[in-house]
């Protein structure tokens, strides 16, 4: 049976980046509360700026400097506001899909010398366990014809294409590296092929 998704509630949310409509979805895949922040008219549109953002409590809420998640979330909303239309999908898959407890345990392993990938594997997980099937269903529900994906992650682009989403292009979302997250960012670039530090390459 094909997974089902239902757009249960839509409500205006005024933010520092302008007003969005928050869409709350239920689904038959998991029991998590996935949402989409939508600005402007996106139904039937092509080249819609879209950020698919996986939950990061430490970065998004606490402003942790161990990662770039909070900065990416803020930058994506700013880009969508500037474009005048677009979507930010917020998926509840903390810690690249391993959950908050395991992510915090991985932090401690990182402080002992492991990188983010090795720490996840040491805990019995894959480097990245995120899935994008719900995001694809949400984009279909919003009747978006094609997207300009706000990402540095080539795997995310490939996964969405496999799920039937027309990814027309990519919009980079690279924050400024600093002492607390440069190792994290270098691991994403080296071991996960994220498109980071591109402007610094000769």
């Amino acid at each position: 049976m094909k997974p089902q998704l239902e757009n249960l509630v839509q409500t205006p949310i005024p933010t520092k980046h302008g007003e969005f409509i928050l869409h709350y979805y239920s689904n038959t895949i998991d029991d998590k509360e996935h949402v989409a922040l939508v600005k402007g008219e996106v139904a039937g549109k092509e080249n819609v700026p879209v950020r698919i953002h996986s939950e990061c409590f430490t970065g998004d809420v606490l402003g942790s400097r161990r990662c770039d998640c909070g900065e990416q979330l803020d930058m994506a909303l700013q880009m969508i506001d500037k474009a005048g239309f677009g979507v930010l999908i917020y998926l509840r898959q903390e810690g690249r899909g391993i959950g908050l407890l395991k992510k915090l345990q991985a932090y401690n392993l990182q402080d002992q010398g492991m990188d983010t990938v090795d720490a996840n594997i040491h805990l019995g997980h894959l480097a990245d366990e995120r899935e994008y099937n719900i995001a694809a269903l949400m984009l279909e529900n919003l009747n978006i014809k094609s997207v300009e994906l706000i990402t540095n992650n080539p795997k995310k682009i490939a996964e969405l294409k496999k799920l039937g989403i027309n990814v027309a292009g990519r919009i980079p979302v690279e924050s400024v590296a600093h002492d607390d997250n440069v190792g994290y960012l270098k691991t994403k670039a080296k071991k996960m092929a994220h498109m980071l530090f591109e402007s610094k390459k000769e």
Side-chain angles (χ1 to χ4, degrees), residues 7-135:
N7 192 341
L8 290 180
V9 180
Q10 307 87 43
T11 191
I13 301 289
T15 78
K16 67 179 180 180
H17 298 303
E19 187 165 293
F20 291 75
I21 303 297
L22 183 64
H23 295 244
Y24 177 105
Y25 287 89
S26 67
N27 71 88
T28 59
I29 300 170
D30 60 34
D31 59 357
K32 297 178 181 178
E33 297 177 307
H34 306 286
V35 297
L37 271 172
V38 180
K39 175 175 278 289
E41 293 295 326
V42 297
K45 296 289 182 68
E46 297 182 345
N47 303 323
V48 177
V50 171
R51 167 73 180 168
I52 298 176
H53 190 89
S54 295
E55 177 180 30
C56 176
F57 169 72
T58 49
D60 299 341
V61 178
L62 302 181
S64 168
R65 290 169 58 86
R66 294 186 75 126
C67 63
D68 59 344
C69 304
E71 289 99 327
Q72 286 188 322
L73 178 64
D74 195 62
M75 290 170 68
L77 289 172
Q78 189 173 359
M79 290 174 187
I80 291 167
D81 180 51
K82 186 175 180 180
F85 75 121
V87 179
L88 186 136
I89 291 175
Y90 198 83
L91 298 178
R92 310 305 293 271
Q93 44 186 4
E94 178 78 50
R96 294 183 187 149
I98 69 173
L100 182 59
L101 172 62
K102 290 295 182 74
K103 182 175 92 167
L104 298 180
Q105 291 173 340
Y107 277 175
N108 286 338
L109 291 173
Q110 290 162 39
D111 290 341
Q112 294 168 25
M114 291 188 186
D115 62 33
T116 53
V117 170
D118 290 340
N120 276 23
I121 292 170
H122 183 82
L123 291 169
H125 291 276
L126 301 175
D128 189 345
E129 296 187 357
R130 289 175 293 179
E131 296 181 347
Y132 301 102
N133 47 353
I134 290 176

